[in-house]
Amino acid sequence: MIKDIIAEGLAAGWQHIDGAEQQQDKSLECDVLIVGSGAGGGITAQVLTQAGLKVLIVEEGPLKSSQDFKMQERQAYPDLYQESAARKTKDKAIGIFQGRCVGGSTTVNWTTSLRTPEHTLSHWQQRWGFTHINPVSLAPYFQQAEQMLGIQPWLTRNQNNSLLAKGCDALGWSYQAIPRNVKQCWDLGYCGMGCPTNAKQSMLVTTIPAALNAGASLLSRFRVQQLTIENDQVVGAQLIALTKNQRTTKRVFTVKAKHVVLAAGAIGSPAILLRSKVPDPYQRVGKRTFLHPSVMSGALFEHVVASHQGAPQSVYSDHFVWQNGSEGACGYKLEVPPVHPILLATKTTGFGQFHSEMMQQINHLQVTIALLRDGFHNDSVGGQVQLRDDGSPVLDYSISDYLWQGARRALLSMAELQFAAGAKKVYPLHEQSQLVSSWAEAKKLIKQLPMQALATRLASAHVMGGCAMGGDEQNSVVDEAGNYRWLSGLSVIDGSVFPTSLGANPQLSIYAMALRNAELLAKSLRR
């Protein structure tokens, strides 16, 4: 029988308050209020509680456990994702997958754990004035995170990943095994719906329990409406309790804190700052928010692929990421996604009989994705977090010609790779696309497809930036320790501090940065 870590912890006396069960307003006090329980918030919570500080973690989503994860998309998406996994950019052109539950996106991601590329760190030093953060200074924190979370290369491949490797071998392209944050993984393939075996070493089963065991308190289903600011110092926050279906209630919790850490993600953290009307003399909050906009290509094979089974991601290729240097033509990373019915149905273009026929061939379908590297070029400036009239955030993300050129090259590369791997037919995901039977036919089709928003199918599970870190106060929101430049008592420790996208899946980069900056914060607060 699988051990239910959450149920056992609650029975043992963990301090947990569920917003959906509250009947009256309350006031709370703590040393540190951490907003968000994902990669940044979870790591920070463990470091600060083990340093002897009284920590309060607040999470907008629910607290779930392994017994709640039924490997059903229809249940997982509304329970565990922002906007039921239907979050999109302002123009609806890019789908955005983000977790909204205790553990954040670490609870629902596909476990890929890659270090920040040295090209990226070098660019940050040269362009964004980093002086303390570099490959050497981060190496101990990468090693610590990898040891904590069981991160090591996963050498077992399902067919979906094997075909990516096969195509690379045939074309002479480089590829590598993906390190995953798992222990005793059952290789089920349903990581995106929460791990029912606790094999995934997410914050839900590692750092959050460690923090709660050390005396931290957890508030789930609470939204931070705004920070409380007095005399240029953040002294707490106002929280609104949410119902089980995430609607706001009239219950308000007031938290008084000596320090606040924003770890609500690259859309959530800027949104809180904007709602709080924080001082922002250079208008940088919410700007330069980045995705890895991803184009997709489907391929039909004679043999069964069963892309829903096995580790979702175990092979990647960086062959095209840095081919033109960090500031040259847009690079892209090649990976594969798991192929589950609802995920496929909502991302596949076409309709009617064509769409039905594609869905019926799901077990013979291999899908490759190309993650576009945004933020390194002058024509590649990302998006902007804005607030709707009700205060909820939306990401305005226009796609430049620079990115569209990268998208076309990526579609060409994926089609070439899939035919090299033995595909019988390939289908670039685009509203004006069609099934093609040869690389020559695919090349002709893709070169004619208009690269336009809402025509080219785009998605991203990686959101970065919006509270950029850097050495220049005119171009950054926080310093290299994560301290907000214009208020005391406030830090940002999550993926929103990255000044560009990474060119790699961000999970491990956030872990390492959080370990570093939470350690610095603990020393500062103890003084």
Side-chain angles (χ1 to χ4, degrees):
M1 184 175 179
I2 298 165
K3 180 179 180 180
D4 191 325
I5 297 170
I6 305 303
E8 291 186 5
L10 293 172
W14 281 355
Q15 297 300 306
H16 170 240
I17 299 175
D18 186 342
E21 299 175 355
Q22 302 313 299
Q23 302 299 321
Q24 60 186 9
D25 298 347
K26 289 183 181 179
S27 295
L28 302 170
E29 292 189 18
C30 60
D31 292 328
V32 184
L33 171 64
I34 300 175
V35 183
S37 62
I43 291 285
T44 302
Q46 177 174 327
V47 171
L48 296 186
T49 51
Q50 292 179 348
L53 295 160
K54 183 180 180 182
V55 171
L56 178 62
I57 310 159
V58 58
E59 166 59 48
E60 185 177 271
L63 173 62
K64 299 288 186 177
S65 72
S66 55
Q67 66 179 344
D68 298 309
F69 302 143
K70 306 297 185 183
M71 302 195 301
Q72 294 286 327
E73 290 176 283
R74 62 183 179 179
Q75 178 180 335
Y77 295 157
D79 280 357
L80 306 175
Y81 285 78
Q82 289 285 358
E83 302 177 36
S84 300
R87 172 168 273 184
K88 296 181 183 298
T89 51
K90 189 174 183 178
D91 63 358
K92 314 300 183 188
I94 309 175
I96 302 173
F97 296 99
Q98 281 185 296
R100 190 212 58 211
C101 55
V102 174
S105 293
T106 73
T107 300
V108 296
N109 69 20
W110 299 336
T111 74
T112 295
S113 303
L114 302 173
R115 293 189 178 192
T116 314
E118 291 194 11
H119 287 283
T120 301
L121 293 172
S122 295
H123 178 80
W124 290 356
Q125 289 177 281
Q126 296 165 12
R127 174 65 180 81
W128 299 102
F130 280 46
T131 57
H132 303 294
I133 294 175
N134 54 60
V136 174
S137 68
L138 280 182
Y141 298 106
F142 284 128
Q143 292 167 3
Q144 184 180 348
E146 288 162 352
Q147 184 175 8
M148 284 173 57
L149 304 173
I151 295 172
Q152 57 185 337
W154 186 261
L155 302 180
T156 303
R157 304 173 187 166
N158 65 3
Q159 275 292 303
N160 203 19
N161 286 272
S162 293
L163 290 169
L164 172 59
K166 182 178 179 181
C168 286
D169 278 331
L171 297 168
W173 297 354
S174 61
Y175 65 94
Q176 294 80 30
I178 288 179
R180 304 178 64 219
N181 61 319
V182 296
K183 292 181 180 178
Q184 299 179 328
C185 177
W186 291 26
D187 214 16
L188 297 175
Y190 289 76
C191 303
M193 291 155 230
C195 181
T197 68
N198 290 327
K200 185 196 299 188
Q201 299 301 286
S202 67
M203 301 300 93
L204 177 67
V205 300
T206 56
T207 60
I208 298 299
L212 293 172
N213 286 332
S217 299
L218 171 66
L219 275 66
S220 64
R221 291 194 180 106
F222 279 88
R223 179 172 300 151
V224 175
Q225 186 62 20
Q226 63 182 28
L227 303 174
T228 305
I229 303 170
E230 297 177 1
N231 300 320
D232 295 326
Q233 180 173 350
V234 175
V235 296
Q238 298 291 320
L239 283 53
I240 297 177
L242 305 177
T243 64
K244 288 186 176 181
N245 60 4
Q246 298 297 304
R247 296 184 183 277
T248 57
T249 70
K250 294 182 179 180
R251 301 282 72 82
V252 176
F253 275 34
T254 302
V255 179
K256 183 178 180 180
K258 297 175 183 176
H259 198 93
V260 174
V261 174
L262 289 185
I267 292 177
S269 288
I272 292 169
L273 294 174
L274 291 170
R275 285 199 298 268
S276 304
K277 296 181 171 57
V278 297
D280 181 21
Y282 299 104
Q283 300 297 297
R284 304 310 303 166
V285 172
K287 305 288 179 60
R288 291 188 64 83
T289 303
F290 293 101
L291 305 171
H292 285 139
S294 301
V295 287
M296 299 159 272
S297 183
L300 291 171
F301 286 78
E302 290 285 358
H303 60 79
V304 171
V305 179
S307 298
H308 61 285
Q309 297 176 348
Q313 294 183 323
S314 56
V315 175
Y316 73 98
S317 174
D318 274 356
H319 190 80
F320 297 98
V321 180
W322 309 106
Q323 194 174 59
N324 300 292
S326 62
E327 297 184 32
C330 180
Y332 45 91
K333 183 184 209 72
L334 299 179
E335 296 178 342
V336 304
V339 181
H340 296 288
I342 294 177
L343 186 63
L344 176 62
T346 56
K347 298 307 169 193
T348 298
T349 54
F351 56 91
Q353 183 176 351
F354 175 81
H355 194 282
S356 174
E357 290 174 353
M358 288 294 289
M359 292 300 298
Q360 290 175 41
Q361 299 178 83
I362 186 171
N363 282 330
H364 291 262
L365 183 67
Q366 191 270 352
V367 177
T368 301
I369 56 176
L371 288 65
L372 301 176
R373 173 180 53 78
D374 198 1
F376 293 78
H377 191 275
N378 289 336
D379 295 331
S380 174
V381 297
Q384 177 180 352
V385 176
Q386 300 173 346
L387 297 179
R388 301 185 181 96
D389 291 341
D390 64 356
S392 64
V394 62
L395 179 59
D396 187 12
Y397 208 97
S398 59
I399 304 171
S400 65
D401 288 341
Y402 172 84
L403 281 179
W404 283 130
Q405 291 168 15
R408 191 186 302 276
R409 290 194 305 274
L411 287 171
L412 287 165
S413 295
M414 290 188 290
E416 183 178 11
L417 179 143
Q418 288 169 320
F419 279 118
K424 298 304 178 183
K425 293 184 179 181
V426 166
Y427 182 72
L429 266 66
H430 188 287
E431 291 294 342
Q432 298 180 28
S433 187
Q434 61 189 40
L435 283 165
V436 291
S437 302
S438 69
W439 164 227
E441 191 179 351
K443 186 166 19 177
K444 181 179 179 181
L445 169 69
I446 293 168
K447 286 184 176 180
Q448 295 174 350
L449 291 175
M451 292 291 105
Q452 297 172 349
L454 303 175
T456 309
R457 190 55 56 92
L458 295 167
S460 181
H462 305 156
V463 194
M464 300 148 283
C467 297
M469 178 184 288
D472 177 3
E473 67 177 27
Q474 294 187 26
N475 292 305
S476 61
V477 174
V478 300
D479 63 19
E480 286 182 75
N483 300 312
Y484 189 77
R485 291 193 175 279
W486 316 110
L487 290 168
S488 61
L490 177 63
S491 301
V492 184
I493 303 181
D494 61 14
S496 70
V497 303
F498 300 149
T500 66
S501 74
L502 297 177
N505 305 55
Q507 175 175 219
L508 181 52
S509 295
I510 301 173
Y511 290 148
M513 195 78 77
L515 283 168
R516 175 188 184 273
N517 288 353
E519 182 181 287
L520 292 173
L521 178 59
K523 291 178 181 178
S524 173
L525 293 176
R526 283 201 302 264
R527 286 198 300 268

